[in-house]
Amino acid sequence: MATEIPVKLSDILRAHQRIAKCIHKTPVFTSSTANSITGRKLFFKAENLQKTGSFKARGALNSILSLKETKPSFTGVVTHSSGNHGQAVAWAAGVAGVPCAVVVPEYAPEVKKAAIRGYGAELATCGSQPSNRETVCQKVMAEKGYEFVSPYDHYDVIAGQGTIAVELLEQVPELDAILVPISGGGMSSGIAIAAKAIKPEIKVFLVEPEGKMMEKCLKTGERLWPNPPQYLDTIADGIRLQQAGNNTFPILCQLAEKEVFTQTNEDMKEGMKFVFQRMKLVIEAASGAAVAAAFSQRLRDMDDNLRHIGVILCGGNTDIEKLPWY
C-alpha cells in the first residue's frame, strides 16, 4: 500500500510564493531540429538560466526562508556541495541576510568554488568521499552553531525544487512526460510530487549516469546500493552521487516511472553539444544527460502517445576552459 508522501502540492505552492520574487521564472525553449530527430515535441526548461546557474537556487532559498519563519534566532547556515548547491546556498543566504559556510570536495570545478566565494560564503574543502563532507559539516555546525541546509534530502528542499514543475505545467500544460536528471533526488521527487498532483497521468522519468542502479532499486523498492555511499565515475559532477536520499527514494518509488534512462559520458557530451550548437545555450553535463535521454533509442521505443516531453536543463555551470569534448 502506498504510504502518505510528506510533501504536498500545497507545500510546493507555498514554497513558490515564498521564493517567487527572488528567482527567475525560467523560459522554456523548443527546437524544430530536436523535434524532427526524436519524432516528438520537446520542451526544454532552462534552469541553466536560473539564479546561480542551476535549479538549486529554488530549494536553497525555500529552506533558508522557511528556517527564518520557524527558527528566527538561528545564527547561519552550512552545507556541503560539489558546486551548484553550494553556490545556491551562498546566494540564498545573501538574499536572506544570514552568514554561510560551504564544504566542497577537492575535485569541485574551480569555476564553482570561485562563484561560492563570490556570493560571500566561507569555503571549507574536504576529501573526495561523501563521508568526508559530513565530518567537516558537523565540525562547522559544532563550532559556529549553524543550521544544515541539505543538498536534496530535506522536505523544504524538495518543495522548493518542485516549483520547477508548477511553472513548467503552467508554461506547457499539454506535457505527457518529463525527463529529470537525478543525483540525490531532491529535484526529481519535488517535480514528481507537483507534476502528478497537477496532472495525474503525466510520467516522470529519471535520467542517471552509468553505475547508479536506479532502475533496479525502483523496481525492487529497495536500496540496493553498496555502503558507504560513493561517487560515480562520470563527467557530470552534478549527478555523481550513487545513492538517492532516505527521504527522496520512497517518494520516487511511488511516483517516478520504473524505467530509468542511463546515459554514458559520450551520450552526455553529445547532448551538451547539441544544445550549445543548435540552441545557443550553455549547459553542464547533467543537463546533457537529459537531452541525450530525449534523443535515445529507449524513448523512441516508448509509447507514441508520449508526444510532448519536458526536458529539464538542470544547470549551466560548466568550466568553459575544460569542456568535456576537448
Side-chain angles (χ1 to χ4, degrees):
M1 199 177 97
T3 52
E4 193 174 340
I5 290 171
V7 180
K8 305 278 184 286
L9 178 61
S10 56
D11 300 311
I12 294 170
L13 295 173
R14 255 196 309 278
H16 206 236
Q17 281 180 325
R18 205 177 272 127
I19 68 177
K21 284 195 208 85
C22 302
I23 61 156
H24 296 310
K25 181 174 182 177
T26 52
V28 172
F29 291 97
T30 57
S31 160
S32 53
T33 309
N35 293 348
S36 63
I37 290 170
T38 59
R40 301 174 197 258
K41 287 189 174 172
L42 304 185
F43 298 88
F44 298 87
K45 178 68 166 159
E47 286 295 296
N48 57 314
L49 302 179
Q50 188 50 268
K51 295 284 188 182
T52 75
S54 90
F55 75 94
K56 293 280 193 182
R58 296 171 182 268
L61 187 59
N62 189 49
S63 292
I64 295 173
L65 294 181
S66 298
L67 263 177
K68 284 190 90 164
E69 290 168 18
T70 56
K71 241 187 204 183
S73 60
F74 79 106
T75 55
V77 292
V78 62
T79 195
H80 55 72
S81 166
S82 60
N84 282 347
H85 176 68
Q87 286 181 61
V89 171
W91 167 80
V95 169
V98 298
C100 172
V102 180
V103 178
V104 297
E106 297 147 334
Y107 70 76
E110 196 48 53
V111 63
K112 294 189 181 183
K113 288 194 254 194
I116 291 168
R117 286 191 204 96
Y119 289 120
E122 188 186 326
L123 210 61
T125 52
C126 66
S128 60
Q129 293 309 309
S131 55
N132 303 143
R133 298 180 180 199
E134 309 284 347
T135 309
V136 179
C137 261
Q138 293 295 338
K139 190 168 170 246
V140 174
M141 287 164 77
E143 284 171 7
K144 296 180 182 277
Y146 284 4
E147 295 287 328
F148 178 63
V149 179
S150 170
Y152 52 85
D153 213 24
H154 188 282
Y155 297 132
D156 289 335
V157 173
I158 293 168
Q161 318 307 25
T163 61
I164 297 168
V166 173
E167 288 180 10
L168 181 54
L169 282 164
E170 273 174 15
Q171 292 163 311
V172 195
E174 66 270 27
L175 283 184
D176 300 307
I178 308 176
L179 294 167
V180 193
I182 178 169
S183 182
M187 172 172 60
S188 48
S189 56
I191 285 176
I193 293 164
K196 297 289 249 184
I198 295 165
K199 190 172 185 179
E201 69 276 20
I202 201 167
K203 294 182 185 302
V204 175
F205 291 101
L206 308 180
V207 182
E208 64 174 10
E210 288 183 301
K212 192 170 177 77
M213 304 164 49
M214 201 71 210
E215 184 161 321
K216 200 183 257 186
C217 293
L218 288 177
K219 283 182 171 169
T220 58
E222 288 177 34
R223 302 180 65 85
L224 302 172
W225 301 287
N227 280 309
Q230 54 190 291
Y231 295 123
L232 299 167
D233 182 15
T234 170
I235 59 167
D237 68 283
I239 51 173
R240 287 190 74 195
L241 191 64
Q242 185 181 40
Q243 296 194 13
N246 290 311
N247 291 328
T248 60
F249 181 63
I251 298 170
L252 294 168
C253 284
Q254 252 179 269
L255 298 181
E257 297 304 308
K258 302 297 186 268
E259 299 84 7
V260 175
F261 289 80
T262 305
Q263 306 308 135
T264 66
N265 284 343
E266 287 307 311
D267 296 334
M268 293 181 209
K269 286 180 202 173
E270 290 308 311
M272 284 179 81
K273 279 184 188 173
F274 179 88
V275 173
F276 269 65
Q277 290 175 325
R278 295 305 184 100
M279 299 174 69
K280 315 307 176 196
L281 293 168
V282 174
I283 60 167
E284 60 188 83
S287 301
V291 178
F295 287 2
S296 68
Q297 189 60 45
R298 184 158 204 182
L299 186 63
R300 278 197 196 98
D301 294 341
M302 281 185 178
D303 186 352
D304 284 341
N305 291 325
L306 300 177
R307 299 294 314 138
H308 305 93
I309 313 283
V311 181
I312 307 298
L313 302 179
C314 53
N317 292 318
T318 195
D319 188 342
I320 57 167
E321 303 295 342
K322 293 180 183 163
L323 289 170
W325 49 86
Y326 289 126

